[in-house]
Amino acid sequence: MTAIRLDAVVRTFGSVRAVDAISATIAEGELFTLLGPSGCGKTTLLRMIAGFSDVESGSIWFGDQRIDQVPAHRRNVGMVFQSYAVFPNLTVEQNVAYGLRARRVSRRDIRDRVAEALALVQLPAHNTRWPHELSGGQLQRVAIARCLVIKPAVLLFDEPLSNLDAQLRMHMRVEIRRLQKSLGLTAIYVTHDQEEALAISDRIAVLRDGRIEQVGTPETIYRAPQTAFVAEFMGSTNIILGVAAGFDGSATTVAAGGAMFQVRGRAGAPGAKVLLSIRPETMRLAGCPDAGGPTLAVRLQLREFLGPLLRLHAALPDGTPIRVVTLGGQGAQPAADGTLNLIYDPGQIIAYPAP
Amino acid sequence: MTRPGSSGRFHGGISLLALAFLGLFLLYPLWFVLRSSVQDEAGAFTLAAYAQVLSSRYYVGSLGNSLAAGAMSMALASLIGVPLAFCLARLDVPGRPLLLALASVPIVLPSFVGAYALVLLFGHAGIVTAALRSMGIAAGSIYGMAGIVTVFTLTLYPYVLLPTLAGFRAVDASMEEAARNLGASRWHAFRTVLFPIVAPSVLAGALLVFIEALENFGVPAVLAEDRPFLALDIFKLFAGESDPNVAAAGALSVLLVGCTVVMLLLQRAYLAHRRFATNARRGAALIPVSRRWRLLATAFCWGVVLLSLLPFAAVVVISFQHFQGPVLSWQPGLGNYRNLLKGSYRPLANTLALASLAAVAATVLGAPVGYVLARQRSRVSAVLSIVATMPFAVSGTVLGIGLVIAFNDGWPVLTGGWLILVVAYVVRKLPLSVRSASAIVHQIDPALEEASISLGLSPTRTFLTLTVPLMLGGLAGGMVLVWVTATAEISSTIVLYSSRWTTMTVMMLQSLEGTAPGEAAAAASILILFTAAPLLLVYRLLRRQGGSLL
Ligand SMILES: Nc1ncnc2c1ncn2[C@@H]1O[C@H](COP(=O)(O)OP(=O)(O)OP(=O)(O)O)[C@@H](O)[C@H]1O
Ligand SMILES: [Mg+2]
């Protein structure tokens, strides 16, 4: 059990600031996720913590021990790689025993601890199979067991599930979470899949161009994104450019996409440019029994039937595209001219100052 | 992965060790060669040797001949290699795998044995010449430029063939299909898509042919007769019976190394900016052609490959025939071998021992260097990469001369012993083992090593306990390659050998001058056996490393 503290760590590659003065504190036993688009510096940051990438400035602490100058092999971190990195020349058992051998643990203890670790990841004990005989999911279990067995101070995951198929991915992330919680390990998890991040994390840090854009619990990040970037990255929200008009004491009127929107609170000074974030699932079709609130007329362009859900692609009066997601059962019949009336909740629209 | 305390120290240590070795046994000797060329007897600086060499019609001719032979061989090897590569990559030529295996054999066969085969068949007293003469037909001479260029072309064309073939195969089918889809004709697609992608490989290979031809000692030694050739004249000036002239030898050496270095730099500079599509997901499909074209392509491919191996086959066959003095009498027997080895088995044993030592040493040194070059990008590794390819550019004869001057007196004295031969072989073959080790390391996921390090093994222990076992299969391939080429080495051996450490190649060269063609043929056959057979044995292994043969 170790807390991790990052203090203004920097790493540049040529002119690219891959990690740009990131500071964060990860509590003991917490699963902390680094989330962000490709190239935002997630892997680089993780590798700095593991010791595979130089820290140019700043410091990294495990508890009260500063480790950024400690060589990688003395940091006692368990790292799970995207490619599994299971040693092809060793059997499953030998793979798991690898770190214990390095630590000169006695033969008997090695046997017991390996069996224990294999049981944790639900693989049979005394496993003398070769890696090439295993499936992707089994390989990932071996990789995890190999890390757990050395009782690491922290666990690091770099997109561990991206090589698995969708179903297995769902299953494995539940297992990883269960193991991490029951063992009380501090973990940093890298992914670019926002659903995975929401499902697995205690807290999420959304990264952009080497900087942390926002840190918070999955709910905060999803419901109260602090920037348009976070809002857009966390679930495909509609971002619409508009101009703020009057504020009537509880809501601001914003002209956007050729329509007028009601946004709760003061969205901006009159005449200020704003970005509105409207999540597709917060809008309803007019005519639904439980719906009430301001309405919006859009032109339906395409409907995608997704089983439980129905996704509508529509256009605002000036042609700006907008997406709406409703339950699949709702009939969405547009009027003869293709117009469809939507009802929205002013409290669900978030306005950001436009850059 | 450059931590100052761990991986960095490991990589730095290896780099420094390798640089120290090459510094001592490559750069230091070369420095002596350079120095000897610009000093007079009193040790004062002078360019007299260069003036002497460059004002002599003979030595200018020597430079011209060598450059001309290099250029012509380069052109001819490309003319053969490129169409051959295209046929093997894209046409349905029967027996392609076998063809390919056979086509890579000439690279390791000693080229001067090929030259000797030509002499044996078409020389003054050659078998074919004699037969033609008895029919009243006068055959042209194969001595001089024509014969030398023929041998270079037939033994060096794989240097063009192999990378070009890899290039053709690396072009993803979708790329060509895309071009065709956009309305390009097949020929247009070849000209605008395929050829530009393959051109760098062709040029890279062609320049290697030039370099190899320029610095080759054995072929002109057999075929030049009295015509001047650079590598030959350097040797004669340095070790000739009549008035040796070390300064002039040094000046010619500097000119030779200068030419090859320029070529190598050209090749590197050109390649650095042109690396296209090396990872084809789907190789391009065979092109359907009419029966006539297929027949033509088959005849061409098999024709070239068999023609290049024919002289060697002829030597082997002839070695089992009985000779009466210099005259062949078609009676099979082992007499030639008996006569050859009657003296002693010593040269054969020497060759095997020296080559084995060199192979092990080059691998032990080359594997970590190849590893560092594949894994690390830093200033030290950039220097290392250049220094480790330098032996390619340094003719064996020049290296030999440098080693003799550098280690003749003072400490350590190496001349006259076996160690200096092994050192020369290791230096000369190091690029081979480095390249083959790099090729293997490129196929090992770096995450494996990182996993091992994060599990608690230091980078050095990780290299020894994880990486080396993973590399082993491939290392064996590189080792055999070094062994085989060291067995066939002549250009530095001829400078460095002593009577106790005579090798098969030296013996072969000496018996050429004698009047016992049968024994020379037997010696040549033994060399062919010891080079071709191991190569074919590890051929599959080498193919998997993808062209590390070069
Ligand atoms: N070894 C390197 N040399 C040069 N640039 C690098 C190196 N490693 C990373 N970068 C650059 O640093 C930036 C961050 O890379 P990083 O691999 O950390 O991104 P990432 O968030 O993990 O992306 P992905 O989701 O694609 O894995 C990128 O712009 C990348 O090009
Ligand atoms: Mg990454």
Side-chain angles (χ1 to χ4, degrees), chain B residues 80-98:
Chain B
I80 293 182
V82 175
L84 194 57
F86 182 79
C87 291
L88 289 179
R90 303 299 303 278
L91 298 183
D92 181 21
V93 176
R96 273 179 303 157
L98 180 62

Side-chain angles (χ1 to χ4, degrees), chain B residues 58 60-70 72 145 214 227-230:
Chain B
Y58 180 84
V60 171
S62 163
L63 186 63
N65 278 348
S66 284
L67 288 174
M72 281 193 274
M145 194 59 100
L214 201 57
R227 294 167 193 81
F229 274 85
L230 212 43

Side-chain angles (χ1 to χ4, degrees), chain A residues 139-157:
Chain A
L139 284 172
Q140 197 55 279
R141 285 166 204 267
V142 175
I144 293 171
R146 190 174 66 180
C147 286
L148 295 178
V149 82
I150 62 167
K151 305 208 166 87
V154 303
L155 267 178
L156 306 177
F157 296 91

Side-chain angles (χ1 to χ4, degrees), chain A residues 47 51-54 68-73 75 77 79 81 83 85-89 98-99 102-104 146 150, chain B residues 1-7 445-459 461-462 465-466 469-470:
Chain A
R47 292 168 59 79
F52 298 128
S53 192
D54 280 335
D68 49 271
Q69 295 302 321
V70 177
H73 63 281
R75 291 195 187 184
V77 298
M79 181 139 175
F81 295 83
S83 56
V86 171
F87 307 130
N89 54 335
Y98 193 88
R103 287 167 174 70
R104 307 200 192 289
R146 190 174 66 180
I150 62 167
Chain B
M1 41 188 296
T2 53
R3 285 221 57 78
S6 49
S7 303
D445 183 359
L448 288 176
E449 289 153 41
E450 292 176 358
S452 164
I453 291 172
S454 77
L455 287 169
L457 271 77
S458 69
R461 274 180 74 197
T462 294
T465 57
L466 180 72
L470 289 176

Side-chain angles (χ1 to χ4, degrees), chain B residues 196-215:
Chain B
I197 295 179
V198 174
S201 317
V202 176
L203 195 80
L207 285 175
L208 278 182
V209 171
F210 190 96
I211 292 171
E212 292 279 327
L214 201 57
E215 62 186 36

Side-chain angles (χ1 to χ4, degrees), chain B residues 373-425:
Chain B
L373 290 188
R375 282 283 188 260
Q376 201 198 23
R377 306 240 161 279
S378 74
R379 220 166 299 146
V380 179
S381 68
V383 173
L384 185 59
S385 154
I386 291 173
V387 176
T389 35
M390 268 187 62
F392 264 141
V394 176
S395 142
T397 318
V398 175
L399 176 69
I401 290 174
L403 286 171
V404 167
I405 304 178
F407 298 104
N408 203 18
D409 43 26
W411 187 91
V413 176
L414 297 178
T415 46
W418 56 273
L419 189 56
I420 199 163
L421 284 162
V422 173
V423 164
Y425 295 167

